[in-house]
Amino acid sequence: MNISLIEIEEHIKKYIKVITTVINVDVGVVDKNMKRVSGTSRYNDTVGERVRGNVFKKTIETGETSIIENPRTHDLCQICADKELCKETLEIATPIYCNGEIEGVLGLLCFNEEQKNKILLDVESYLDFTKQIAEFIGMKFKEYRESLLQKEREETLNQLLNNMTKGVILSDVDGNITSINQIGIKKLKLSFNPEGKKMQLISQNDYIMNEEIFKLIIGKKEYNVTGKKVPMVSFSQKKINGFIFDDIQKISKNIVEVSNQYNRITLDDIHGTSQSIQSLKEYIKTVANSNSTVLITGESGTGKELIARSLHSSGNRKDKPLVVINCSAIPDSLLESELFGYVKGAFTGADNNGHMGKFELANGGVIFLDEIGDMPLYLQAKILRVIQEKKIERIGSNKSIDLDIKIIAATNADLRQKIKEKKFREDLFYRLNVIPIQTCPLRERREDIGPIVKKLIEKYSVISGKKEIDIDEKAMNVLLDYDWPGNVRELENVIELIMNTCGEADRVTVSMLPENIKLSKNKNIILEEIKKESFEILEDEFCEIEKNYIIKGLEKYGNSTEGKKILCDKMNIGLTTLYRKLKKFNIDK
């Protein structure tokens, strides 16, 4: 810190006034740069000017007190630029120290023989007195410099605190708030400055991502926050308590998949020109702001998650978290803790810091429960309670957590059939099915295949670093003729395969298509040829064959949903179509 004795000029004036009163001599003070800081009599008007005297300069260089009894004839005076103008009869120069460094010189100046003789009669006493005053000036300068340093540190600390992403509260040993940074005020949504008010900090004996959860009480308001206590000592050496905190939602956003400008799916990502797709988009716009539960049903690969994400990005919760959990991808034993979280020590093997569940992470936003049809019955009851009460409890805790959340669920299972089989709760179905959305399989909207193929080629051209290529008419006809049991997901896999194997080709041809798709086309051609040859199978005979095939298939693969899915794959039909045929043929399975 580059400061000079000139900063404490007013204090120095008081000290030199004491000297002139006691000794009746003139006094001059210069800083280490040889600039006049203060002076009496003839030196009073030269404050700030550079002093050229060699005596003061020698004292600054050596740190020793100089006594010049014969000014103008002394060796130091021989090269002095002001030698001829000098009127002094005696000069005493004493260094002013601060923290072991010379900061300037205090000079006693006599201008007549009477003053000179008086000083010389008891020179040691006057030297001690001068040194004492110089020491006082050094102490005052030290005090001033430390106060500046403290102020600078405090300003720097405040700048740091106010630029932190976390809130910081400082309080005294009695819990009275002495300081809070701006982000802390913002996080707590305070409409007043809480400095001077009493605060309470109560640990909840719970953790999120290694951050302890506290209840913070200021006045009559309570806040749930995460953070840690930091014992501190102030610049004035007083004990203070620091508390660095964050709001729980901020922690959630750091560890949850949040839809943002980079991964946000919008209605523009739902491609197609069919009436069913246009109606779907309009319907999403209509229901997007609703807080009611949404149930998306349809065959695998029809874009149920795409619809869920579009609902999120089109609604009033688009800037809040979207948490996705696949209920069939997580073992039953872990699914409950993933959904609801747990406190430390809740069960053997539980993380010592506890765990925040997906519902809590999504609080304020949207949770998407994919494949909910595969959720075990005991958890279905808990989900029903969450929907009804808008509350959850972590495993091992009896403390309820309020939820403000929108639930979107999806399944490719026939939930009504599962209800009949006692595998899905009827009351949960009706709670979920407030806003139903049924996806349409790709084979029922073949006019969308072309636009989807175009978009997928664009997508995988970018990913593979290749130029976009066209698709010839014959290849497109094969794709249009195929039934796509795997729907859009299967179509995307096919295009990704083509883009990885097409080499430098500039057009997709039939030869590039997977064998199963080409064979499907050939099969249809053969059937057409058979028709042309007038080889007829009566409809009732064909129905009987189909009925017997279904019955034998059920006997072979089982009557469970999984068995029926296998049969559907063999017959190249969807599960919904199979149930329609079961009803048609009056097969009681």
Side-chain angles (χ1 to χ4, degrees), residues 309-321:
R309 290 180 178 276
S310 298
L311 278 165
H312 172 252
S313 64
S314 302
N316 51 14
R317 296 175 184 256
K318 61 185 178 183
D319 296 322
K320 302 295 183 181

Side-chain angles (χ1 to χ4, degrees), residues 40-57:
T40 59
S41 186
R42 66 194 68 192
Y43 300 115
N44 192 38
D45 297 329
T46 60
V47 173
E49 294 181 5
R50 188 170 182 81
V51 176
R52 296 189 290 178
N54 278 358
V55 178
F56 282 8
K57 184 179 179 182

Side-chain angles (χ1 to χ4, degrees), residues 334-350:
L334 299 178
L335 186 56
E336 182 176 6
S337 62
E338 280 298 312
L339 287 171
F340 302 106
Y342 55 82
V343 297
K344 69 175 182 177
F347 51 83
T348 303

Side-chain angles (χ1 to χ4, degrees), residues 133-145:
I133 296 298
E135 188 177 337
F136 287 155
I137 293 173
M139 290 171 63
K140 179 56 70 175
F141 185 64
K142 178 182 178 181
E143 182 183 311
Y144 174 76
R145 188 162 65 179

Side-chain angles (χ1 to χ4, degrees), residues 123-359:
V123 68
E124 291 300 324
S125 297
Y126 287 115
L127 281 176
D128 288 342
F129 178 66
T130 305
K131 289 178 181 177
Q132 199 170 41
I133 296 298
E135 188 177 337
F136 287 155
I137 293 173
M139 290 171 63
K140 179 56 70 175
F141 185 64
K142 178 182 178 181
E143 182 183 311
Y144 174 76
R145 188 162 65 179
E146 287 184 348
S147 69
L148 282 184
L149 282 170
Q150 179 175 326
K151 186 177 180 181
E152 187 178 86
R153 289 192 199 103
E154 289 174 348
E155 288 176 354
T156 301
L157 178 60
N158 285 332
Q159 286 180 2
L160 287 172
L161 293 180
N162 286 322
N163 282 282
M164 287 179 68
T165 58
K166 294 190 175 186
V168 179
I169 298 177
L170 303 180
S171 61
D172 61 23
V173 291
D174 296 319
N176 298 308
I177 297 174
T178 58
S179 179
I180 181 171
N181 65 347
Q182 290 300 313
I183 193 69
I185 291 175
K186 184 177 180 181
K187 284 181 179 295
L188 299 177
K189 298 179 181 178
L190 295 173
S191 57
F192 61 93
N193 190 331
E195 291 180 10
K197 294 189 177 295
K198 199 172 189 66
M199 64 171 273
Q200 285 181 271
L201 205 55
I202 305 170
S203 173
Q204 301 300 290
N205 296 314
D206 202 354
Y207 294 81
I208 297 175
M209 296 299 287
N210 296 319
E211 293 281 348
E212 190 171 2
I213 300 177
F214 291 89
K215 180 181 287 185
L216 173 63
I217 304 174
I218 300 175
K220 295 182 179 180
K221 291 195 172 184
E222 295 184 1
Y223 309 90
N224 287 317
V225 296
T226 62
K228 58 183 176 182
K229 298 177 182 178
V230 183
M232 302 170 68
V233 177
S234 71
F235 294 119
S236 59
Q237 300 303 304
K238 289 183 179 178
K239 288 185 179 180
I240 57 175
N241 295 314
F243 181 57
I244 303 172
F245 70 94
D246 216 332
D247 54 280
I248 290 179
Q249 279 302 107
K250 177 66 181 295
I251 294 290
S252 304
K253 288 178 183 178
N254 288 339
I255 56 177
V256 64
E257 176 192 358
V258 180
S259 289
N260 54 38
Q261 58 181 333
Y262 301 109
N263 68 0
R264 176 167 288 175
I265 300 296
T266 68
L267 290 174
D268 294 333
D269 296 296
I270 300 177
H271 304 300
T273 57
S274 65
Q275 182 58 48
S276 61
I277 287 297
Q278 300 308 312
S279 298
L280 173 64
K281 288 184 176 183
E282 289 301 317
Y283 188 62
I284 288 174
K285 291 178 185 177
T286 303
V287 302
N289 286 333
S290 171
N291 290 323
S292 299
T293 55
V294 179
L295 179 61
I296 307 170
T297 55
E299 294 179 16
S300 180
T302 50
K304 293 185 287 295
E305 183 171 344
L306 191 70
I307 293 171
R309 290 180 178 276
S310 298
L311 278 165
H312 172 252
S313 64
S314 302
N316 51 14
R317 296 175 184 256
K318 61 185 178 183
D319 296 322
K320 302 295 183 181
L322 167 65
V323 179
V324 179
I325 184 165
N326 190 318
C327 300
S328 66
I330 301 173
D332 292 353
S333 58
L334 299 178
L335 186 56
E336 182 176 6
S337 62
E338 280 298 312
L339 287 171
F340 302 106
Y342 55 82
V343 297
K344 69 175 182 177
F347 51 83
T348 303
D351 192 308
N352 287 333
N353 293 321
H355 178 73
M356 179 184 272
K358 298 295 193 244
F359 275 104

